[in-house]
Amino acid sequence: MPSLFVREPFGFGAMKQATGATAPLRNGVALTDDPDRHLRDKIIAVLFTAPGERVNAPRFGAGLNRATFEGLNPLTVTAIEYRVAEGLRRDVGEEIIVDAIDISTDPAAGELLLVITYRRREDRIVRTLRIEL
């Protein structure tokens, strides 16, 4: 019996329309055939989903969007790093190995740079995701 609850909002693989053309959307959600892009999208979903935001998965997410309104002192930067590491381990840890999470800040400008270095468990090729807030 198919599950009605979909944990991941991103689809993987293109759907064929009745005409035989490939549809880029399924129920308004973008699809991709690129496994690296799909994994990157899942990581971004984890980073920017706040815990408690998903009703059936209350622990899902790291709530990185909250960092926009937090002070950029060493304590909050450490808390952000912990939330990101824990969220990635819990929500996509079966697919990736996180090698490093580096956060640099410029408190005067109110900027935060997050660099995540990770590898897919399948091929172990190093990938990097940079997010500027």
Side-chain angles (χ1 to χ4, degrees), residues 11-17 20-26 29-34:
F12 182 66
M15 290 183 59
K16 296 283 184 179
Q17 294 179 345
T22 301
L25 298 175
R26 178 184 69 210
V29 176
L31 298 176
T32 181
D33 282 328
D34 180 4

Side-chain angles (χ1 to χ4, degrees), residues 43-63:
I43 291 170
I44 290 172
V46 169
L47 294 176
F48 288 100
T49 300
E53 189 174 323
R54 293 190 181 183
V55 176
N56 292 328
R59 295 185 63 216
F60 182 89

Side-chain angles (χ1 to χ4, degrees), residues 28-43:
V29 176
L31 298 176
T32 181
D33 282 328
D34 180 4
D36 288 335
R37 170 80 189 269
H38 178 66
L39 183 57
R40 182 185 143 278
D41 290 346
K42 287 173 74 172
I43 291 170

